[in-house]
């Protein structure tokens, strides 16, 4: 869900090196060279429109699911302001039958939850599944390292969650899918999806993006919304200071200066570079590409808008408006700094909004975070980054046999039950009276619920996405849909929509080093005048090759 390049999550910085992708990779060797047989080309383009015949048949939600309260403008999902009084029992049979434990790896951000034998939540869900799922829950900030080591060792669990932003960084990932994971095409194409009716409710766009090597290789986890980033702010603290949210780029800087007070340990921002790029209308489609008026592909580094955003963000750092712990260490926890009132504006995924509000308002009365509405720093309509690519993919280990694969798909199907079902409530909220208490407006998590539930089963599934109600934050759904339905008006067009591109290995390997160079420039460790040299190095290190590849992909597709 995160774009690559400067401004993206920095916990992925060493991902490529951990896979051993050094000189051999840049020379064209594959991630899985040595697995046997010839490896595929270093880049590849799939025309997803031509694979329509391999898509699963799409089905309606289970009977009894209520109509939404607020309709989202696609790809924004619909929203519910009330929890249904009656829940649908969507799956009557237990999906597990072999008695053979399922091993799975998923990410989590925050404290690790208790494992098997220590978690009432795992025990309850596994009882409904009829089989034990044993989770290896890894720190989301370090997930790339663990994932890289696992793929490099060619030793994967039965079910593996791979976030979409990691896929975008991996050279030769198509080779990895062919070597390590089960081909699900014949299990799920067309009417093959019928035994898994919850999976059949997924948006077709999520399935389209789950093809590698023209085969359906994973179960997608559809996004809750198309936007990778939001600029959230402590509205309660700005209100107290008599300030409003910024409406221009100059106001963003001036308000940042007003609220920054090192003597009180307060600064304005975390690293907000992705949002600064969006405000300046830097291209974000397909990781940062657009077409020039003459039809030539152009990467964001090469644009005047990117240079403007670099200059502005460097000014923010130079003025000391970013919390020093975040400047000094990429491991600092921006959410904790926001919760403590130590920073007032923070860039994060929109999904950070509701959980933080729900948790922190219990600690700080009046706590209120809201998103800054989109604006243009350069005049005209704003530009908003976004896509409908899945947030993550669930891969099934290769070679387990048909019966085991079908059992795993039944488990994934159960975990994918949508809002309004009993299965959804157990997956999201655990056991009533232990992990949540039922109120007139829906389930409210207990302390045990917050401790034991960290989306374990969510990350081995998907679900038909909606913006669901939360009793702790009764205004959230309306606020979120109002914000999202306004943002989507300015969603950037993607010239490569419908094409899935396995980018050249040299280009992928160049992204993290270039990110690091630009980060040094933003933070004052290199002069701004080095930007031209950095971009030249990027072009010579794979950027020009990527441009030619993208131009050819469009030409081959007749565009």
């Amino acid at each position: 869900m995160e774009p690559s390049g400067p401004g993206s999550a920095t916990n992925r910085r060493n991902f490529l090196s951990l896979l051993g992708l050094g000189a051999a990779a840049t020379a064209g060797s594959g991630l899985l060279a040595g697995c046997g047989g010839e490896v595929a080309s270093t880049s590849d383009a799939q025309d997803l429109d031509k694979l329509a015949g391999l898509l699963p048949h799409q089905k309606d939600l289970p009977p009894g699911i209520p109509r939404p309260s607020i309709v989202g403008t696609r790809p924004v999902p619909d929203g519910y302001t009330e929890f249904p009084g009656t829940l649908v029992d969507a799956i009557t049979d237990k999906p597990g039958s072999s008695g053979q434990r399922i091993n799975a790896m998923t990410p989590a951000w925050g404290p690790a939850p208790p494992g098997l034998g220590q978690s009432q939540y795992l025990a309850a869900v596994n009882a409904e599944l009829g089989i034990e799922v044993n989770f290896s829950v890894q720190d989301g900030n370090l997930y790339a390292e663990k994932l890289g080591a696992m793929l490099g060792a060619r030793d994967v669990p039965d079910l593996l969650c791979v976030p979409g932003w990691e896929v975008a960084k991996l050279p030769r990932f198509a080779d990895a899918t062919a070597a390590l994971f089960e081909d699900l095409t014949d299990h799920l194409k067309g009417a093959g999806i019928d035994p898994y009716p919850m999976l059949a409710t997924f948006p077709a766009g999520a399935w389209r993006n789950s093809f590698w090597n023209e085969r359906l290789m994973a179960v997608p986890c559809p996004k809750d919304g198309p936007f990778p980033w939001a600029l959230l702010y402590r509205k309660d603290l700005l209100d107290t200071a008599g300030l409003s949210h910024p409406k221009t780029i100059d106001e963003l800087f001036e308000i940042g200066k007003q609220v920054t007070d090192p003597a009180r340990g307060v600064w304005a921002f975390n690293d907000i570079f992705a949002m600064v790029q969006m405000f300046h209308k830097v291209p974000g489609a397909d990781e940062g590409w657009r077409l020039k008026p003459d039809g030539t592909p152009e990467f964001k580094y090469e644009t005047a808008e990117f240079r403007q955003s670099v200059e502005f963000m460097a000014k923010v750092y130079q003025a000391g408006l970013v919390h020093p712990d975040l400047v000094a260490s990429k491991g600092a926890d921006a959410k904790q700094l926001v919760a403590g009132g130590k920073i007032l504006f923070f860039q994060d995924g929109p999904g950070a909004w509701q959980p933080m509000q729900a948790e922190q308002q219990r600690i700080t009365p009046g706590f209120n975070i809201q998103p800054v509405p989109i604006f243009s720093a350069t005049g005209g309509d704003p530009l908003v980054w976004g896509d409908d690519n899945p947030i993550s993919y669930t891969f099934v280990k290769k070679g387990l046999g048909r019966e085991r694969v079908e059992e795993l798909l039944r488990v994934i199907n159960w975990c994918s039950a949508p809002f309004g079902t009993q299965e959804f409530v157990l997956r999201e909220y655990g056991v009533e009276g232990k992990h949540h208490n039922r109120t007139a407006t829906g389930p409210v998590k207990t302390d045990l619920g917050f401790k034991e539930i960290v989306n374990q089963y969510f990350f081995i599934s998907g679900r038909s996405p909606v913006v669901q109600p939360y009793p702790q934050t009764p205004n959230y759904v309306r606020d979120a849909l109002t914000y999202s339905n306004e943002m989507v008006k300015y969603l950037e067009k993607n010239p490569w929509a419908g094409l899935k591109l396995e980018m050249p290995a040299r280009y992928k390997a160049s992204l993290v080093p270039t990110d690091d160079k630009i980060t040094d420039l933003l933070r004052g460790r290199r002069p701004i005048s080095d930007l031209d040299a950095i971009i030249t190095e990027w072009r010579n290190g794979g950027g020009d090759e990527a441009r030619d590849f993208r131009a050819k992909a469009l030409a081959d597709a007749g565009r």
Side-chain angles (χ1 to χ4, degrees):
M1 173 162 84
E2 301 172 6
S4 63
S8 61
T10 54
N11 53 299
R12 296 168 282 151
R13 53 182 288 120
N14 295 319
F15 195 33
L16 304 182
S17 63
L18 284 162
L19 292 174
L21 296 171
T26 59
S29 177
L31 167 64
L32 295 175
C35 284
E38 294 296 323
V39 296
S41 61
T42 58
S43 58
D44 182 54
Q46 294 181 92
D47 188 340
L48 299 179
D49 292 337
K50 295 180 180 179
L51 304 178
L54 300 180
L55 287 171
H57 289 166
Q58 195 160 16
K59 297 183 180 297
D60 294 334
L61 292 170
I65 299 294
R67 295 179 64 83
S69 311
I70 305 172
V71 175
T73 302
R74 298 293 180 262
V76 173
D78 298 331
Y80 290 83
T81 58
E82 296 181 353
F83 224 87
T86 303
L87 299 173
V88 175
D89 185 4
I91 302 171
T92 55
D93 297 330
K94 293 186 185 298
S97 58
S98 69
Q100 183 181 353
R101 176 181 288 179
I102 298 170
N103 292 314
M105 189 173 99
T106 58
W109 289 265
L116 275 182
Q118 300 175 314
S119 169
Q120 297 179 63
Y121 171 65
L122 295 182
V125 178
N126 287 345
E128 286 298 309
L129 293 174
I131 195 168
E132 278 193 337
V133 182
N134 180 37
F135 287 95
S136 174
V137 178
Q138 301 296 320
D139 182 349
N141 294 318
L142 303 173
Y143 199 70
E145 285 89 333
K146 182 66 176 180
L147 181 62
M150 179 173 286
L151 294 179
R154 307 177 184 90
D155 182 16
V156 297
D158 302 317
L159 298 176
L160 178 65
C161 171
V162 180
W165 57 89
E166 307 297 4
V167 173
K169 290 280 185 172
L170 269 170
R172 313 299 292 274
F173 188 68
D175 293 343
T177 63
L180 299 176
F181 303 120
E182 188 72 19
D183 181 348
L184 301 177
T185 312
D186 293 336
H187 293 275
L188 298 176
K189 70 178 180 181
I193 198 75
D194 288 353
Y196 317 106
M198 304 300 107
L199 304 187
T201 67
F202 291 2
W207 285 114
R208 278 164 55 91
N209 282 285
S210 301
F211 282 86
W212 281 268
N213 306 310
E214 300 188 345
R215 304 297 290 175
L216 182 59
M217 298 300 299
V219 175
C221 182
K223 284 180 180 172
D224 289 321
F227 313 119
W229 298 109
L231 182 59
L232 299 165
Y233 72 102
R234 284 288 301 270
K235 186 177 186 303
D236 54 322
L237 297 182
L238 253 64
D239 288 348
T240 299
L243 298 171
S244 180
H245 64 75
K247 302 175 182 64
T248 68
I249 200 71
D250 290 336
E251 286 184 9
L252 179 65
F253 186 78
E254 290 304 316
I255 292 172
K257 288 201 299 184
Q258 290 181 60
V259 301
T260 296
D261 186 350
R264 294 193 303 115
V266 176
W267 284 263
F269 306 118
N270 69 342
D271 185 350
I272 59 171
F273 188 44
M275 287 301 304
V276 167
Q277 291 177 70
M278 204 185 301
F279 293 144
H280 282 89
K281 297 194 276 194
V282 174
D286 238 17
E287 303 174 45
W289 290 87
R290 70 181 180 192
L291 295 180
K292 295 193 291 187
D294 66 0
T296 304
E298 178 181 45
F299 192 56
K300 65 180 182 179
Y301 294 161
E302 306 168 286
T303 67
E305 295 92 336
F306 185 75
R307 184 176 297 273
Q308 290 174 326
S309 66
V310 166
E311 291 171 350
F312 179 85
M313 194 67 216
K315 183 172 75 168
V316 168
Y317 275 106
Q318 186 177 19
L321 306 185
V322 178
H323 195 288
D325 289 354
L326 297 170
V327 176
S329 170
K330 292 186 176 182
D333 190 341
K335 289 185 174 66
Q336 290 302 314
L337 294 174
V338 172
K342 301 303 182 183
I343 57 176
L344 273 67
F345 293 86
F346 69 111
Q347 172 187 288
D348 208 322
W353 180 0
Q354 191 280 331
M356 180 178 287
Q357 179 65 38
E359 184 173 1
Q360 294 304 320
Q361 68 187 13
R362 300 185 305 157
I363 301 168
T364 304
F367 183 94
N368 186 9
I369 55 172
Q370 294 290 325
V372 174
I374 191 67
F375 59 79
S376 167
T378 56
D381 287 340
L383 178 142
V384 172
W385 294 352
D387 57 54
D388 63 352
N389 296 338
I391 185 174
S392 62
Y393 302 90
T394 298
F395 290 91
V396 176
K397 184 177 181 178
K398 189 172 186 175
L400 298 178
R402 186 172 187 86
E403 289 187 5
R404 178 64 164 176
V405 170
E406 290 175 351
E407 180 178 52
L408 295 175
L409 288 173
R410 290 195 301 271
V411 168
I412 296 171
N413 179 69
W414 188 99
C415 294
S416 301
F419 174 79
T421 65
Q422 294 180 15
E423 294 82 1
F424 175 94
V425 171
L426 181 58
R427 185 192 75 214
E428 294 291 312
Y429 294 99
V431 179
E432 183 179 357
K434 292 182 180 179
H435 302 100
H436 74 269
N437 294 312
R438 183 176 298 184
T439 72
T441 52
V444 177
K445 276 186 184 178
T446 63
D447 288 342
L448 182 64
F450 280 111
K451 176 182 178 182
E452 293 191 347
I453 303 171
V454 294
N455 294 320
Q456 296 99 311
Y457 295 93
F458 169 83
F459 273 119
I460 58 167
S461 72
R463 73 279 173 270
S464 187
V466 299
V467 182
Q468 69 174 87
Y470 298 89
Q472 307 98 314
T473 54
N475 298 323
Y476 169 72
V477 173
R478 196 164 301 279
D479 288 348
L481 266 295
T482 299
Y483 169 77
S484 297
N485 280 341
E486 182 64 22
M487 289 275 286
V488 79
K489 296 176 184 178
Y490 307 108
L491 198 62
E492 182 181 19
K493 304 296 184 186
N494 180 1
W496 291 271
L499 299 178
K500 186 167 188 174
L501 306 179
E502 178 83 8
M503 295 297 289
R506 286 209 319 143
Y507 164 77
K508 285 192 173 186
S510 74
L511 289 176
V512 170
T514 306
D515 185 348
D516 289 342
K517 293 171 188 175
I518 293 174
T519 296
D520 286 344
L521 186 152
L522 296 175
R523 300 187 183 192
R525 296 190 286 262
R526 295 182 65 164
I528 292 287
S529 58
D530 280 2
L531 181 60
D532 288 335
I534 292 171
I535 294 172
T536 298
E537 291 169 3
W538 168 83
R539 286 174 175 155
N540 295 335
D544 287 341
E545 180 184 354
R547 183 187 352 275
D548 293 342
F549 168 67
R550 282 186 172 272
K552 183 176 185 300
L554 286 178
D556 290 347
R559 302 188 190 181

